[in-house]
Amino acid sequence: SVPCGTCPIQHHSSGGYAFGASTTAANVLRILRAMQLRRPLLLEGSPGVGKTSVIQALARASGHKVTRINLSEQTDIADLLGSDLPAPATDSTGSQNSKNAKSNDRFRWCNGPLLKALINGDWVILDELNLASQTVLEGLNSLLDHRAEVYIPELDQTFQCPSTFRVFACQNPLREGGGRKGLPKSFLNRFTRVHVASLTHQDLIFIA
């Protein structure tokens, strides 16, 4: 079992996800057993086996909000955690002063999707983990290891991971190609690795 979140729980009969398929049930059991440890989970399997959708279905069934982030070689750590963005000037009443906005523009910190999910204690899915750059992997280290925190230099502030915050990562095998690379063993050791098996013909008949 996993603790329920604060979002409305969707029963599997109305959620449109077939947990009863034989292979799906075995995949879910492995994921739930791995979730008993307070470690990030790395789901590995071929494209289309339902790595992302099974986590989204579990989140709906247990009342958790989930944020999905697609990684690529172009993804920067600022895309995940946030950055300073231009903000229009406001007058003393707090409303936007469009007349003087051009001359009084200021920069304001904007939280990225990963930091927002951390603050709210939501679940996060990092898709295509083995497409991410080395810079992003290093930036995630403190979040994934025993420290369970992230430091934002621009804010000079450290954010601790709440108990409800969980990180799930998904990746396809190296043989699938597409610019995927082997992740460092020291980085992989931060995860509990779970294999997601492909659906059989009998599973597809059951789902249909």
Side-chain angles (χ1 to χ4, degrees), residues 165-197:
F165 177 73
R166 297 299 299 254
V167 175
F168 303 86
C170 303
Q171 69 175 18
N172 299 331
L174 293 177
R175 63 179 180 274
E176 303 294 343
R180 293 175 176 85
K181 58 183 181 297
L183 297 175
K185 188 175 181 180
S186 59
F187 184 77
L188 290 175
N189 284 342
R190 308 191 189 284
F191 293 88
T192 299
R193 302 171 71 175
V194 179
H195 174 71
V196 180

Side-chain angles (χ1 to χ4, degrees), residues 45-111:
S46 299
V49 299
K51 300 184 291 294
T52 302
S53 61
V54 69
I55 299 301
Q56 292 173 328
L58 282 174
R60 290 193 298 268
S62 57
H64 290 276
K65 184 179 179 181
V66 61
T67 298
R68 177 184 178 184
I69 303 174
N70 269 79
L71 302 177
S72 69
E73 293 180 351
Q74 285 73 41
T75 303
D76 188 76
I77 192 65
D79 298 328
L80 305 181
L81 300 179
S83 60
D84 285 312
L85 298 176
T90 55
D91 57 25
S92 58
T93 63
S95 60
Q96 182 175 333
N97 187 349
S98 57
K99 185 178 297 184
N100 299 323
K102 186 174 182 180
S103 59
N104 294 327
D105 276 354
R106 295 292 184 268
F107 283 87
R108 183 182 303 162
W109 174 263
C110 182
N111 292 338

